[in-house]
Amino acid sequence: MKQLVLDLGAADPAQSLDTFQIGANAEMAHLMHQFAQRASREHFCYLWAETGAGKTHILHGLAATPGSRYIAFDASTEQFTYAPDVSLYLVDDIDRLSPQQQIDAFALFNQVREHGAYMVCTGPVPPAVLPVREDLRTRMGWGLVYQIHGLSDDEKIAALTQAAEARGLTLSASVLPYLLSHFKRDMRSLSTMLDALDQYSLETQRPVTLPLLRDLLLQGNPHTDLKE
């Protein structure tokens, strides 16, 4: 069970635009659906937010559309090469690109613009303060720029409750508030924990109550002092 709790970096196969929790991001979410359909009048967009707000989730959702290419910060030079059969380029964590990758990303941006393709990039801060070379930083501000706003605690609880109901999982009323207070607060980590709770409940034949959650959290970090 320890692996279920701690392995939070694994790719989530359920990531899509439809499973992104919109919250206060309705305008941005609508635009991303337009990008998915290649129907937006604007061809470039830069998304920024703190870790766990859903930037990668959105890019993975867009990458599921035909003619898309997801480019991680550790991608090879070939991934930054324009291809006629790719109409949407998705560059994640642009602030983490190496100096050579930044040059490649700048060149790709210009090719995308020349050919009328689409591009979405992500980072942790607004374009003006991105820690990248000046020409690339300038390009990130050329199109639309959106900050992804995280969900409130009530929105997180509502989203997790809906996800649990979709699994046929019944949660004790105290489980989710306690989880938000004693675990990582980003939705990806919380969703991973919900999966772990579901499996642990099945393995132990116990309902998902606060004692079950506390047991699981202690297995993930036996040195944690969990308090009521």
Side-chain angles (χ1 to χ4, degrees):
M1 288 308 305
K2 191 177 296 185
Q3 183 69 16
L4 285 173
V5 180
L6 299 180
D7 186 13
L8 300 176
D12 180 359
Q15 287 180 343
S16 71
L17 293 182
D18 290 334
T19 58
F20 174 73
Q21 300 298 326
I22 295 175
N25 303 292
E27 182 178 339
M28 181 277 299
H30 177 70
L31 176 68
M32 291 300 99
H33 279 281
Q34 289 186 322
F35 267 68
Q37 300 166 8
R38 316 302 193 262
S40 171
R41 294 178 60 184
E42 177 58 60
H43 285 227
F44 300 94
C45 186
Y46 174 76
L47 306 176
W48 67 276
E50 62 184 14
T51 300
K55 302 186 299 293
T56 299
H57 185 135
I58 291 171
L59 293 196
H60 284 169
L62 290 169
T65 63
S68 300
R69 179 188 295 169
Y70 174 81
I71 305 174
F73 73 92
D74 56 354
S76 64
T77 297
E78 290 72 20
Q79 290 292 95
F80 291 91
T81 302
Y82 178 82
D85 60 335
V86 178
S87 56
L88 175 59
Y89 296 83
L90 310 160
V91 185
D92 210 358
D93 297 320
I94 201 162
D95 59 298
R96 300 178 68 184
L97 299 182
S98 69
Q100 180 57 54
Q101 288 173 319
Q102 292 179 35
I103 295 173
D104 296 337
F106 175 77
L108 177 59
F109 182 101
N110 292 332
Q111 288 180 301
V112 167
R113 186 184 182 201
E114 177 184 350
H115 292 89
Y118 291 80
M119 190 175 196
V120 181
C121 301
T122 72
V125 293
V129 291
L130 263 175
V132 297
R133 50 185 290 150
E134 179 62 28
D135 53 7
L136 182 59
R137 179 166 55 245
T138 300
R139 293 298 187 275
M140 292 302 100
W142 274 17
L144 297 174
V145 177
Y146 283 94
Q147 179 184 8
I148 302 176
H149 300 282
L151 300 178
S152 68
D153 284 358
D154 287 344
E155 289 171 334
K156 289 176 182 178
I157 288 175
L160 292 168
T161 299
Q162 182 178 14
E165 290 174 350
R167 292 175 169 85
L169 185 62
T170 301
L171 304 177
S172 166
S174 58
V175 166
L176 293 179
Y178 187 89
L179 183 59
L180 286 175
S181 300
H182 293 78
F183 194 61
K184 296 181 180 181
R185 296 175 57 81
D186 64 278
M187 282 302 296
R188 184 175 185 183
S189 297
L190 291 168
S191 296
T192 299
M193 176 55 81
L194 191 63
D195 289 336
L197 275 170
D198 190 6
Q199 183 170 337
Y200 193 39
S201 174
L202 290 172
E203 290 180 352
T204 60
Q205 295 297 299
R206 295 166 59 190
V208 182
T209 59
L210 185 54
L212 184 80
L213 172 60
R214 286 167 59 89
D215 287 350
L216 187 55
L217 288 172
L218 283 170
Q219 289 191 41
N221 187 358
H223 302 293
T224 298
D225 180 18
L226 298 179
K227 301 177 180 179
E228 294 293 349

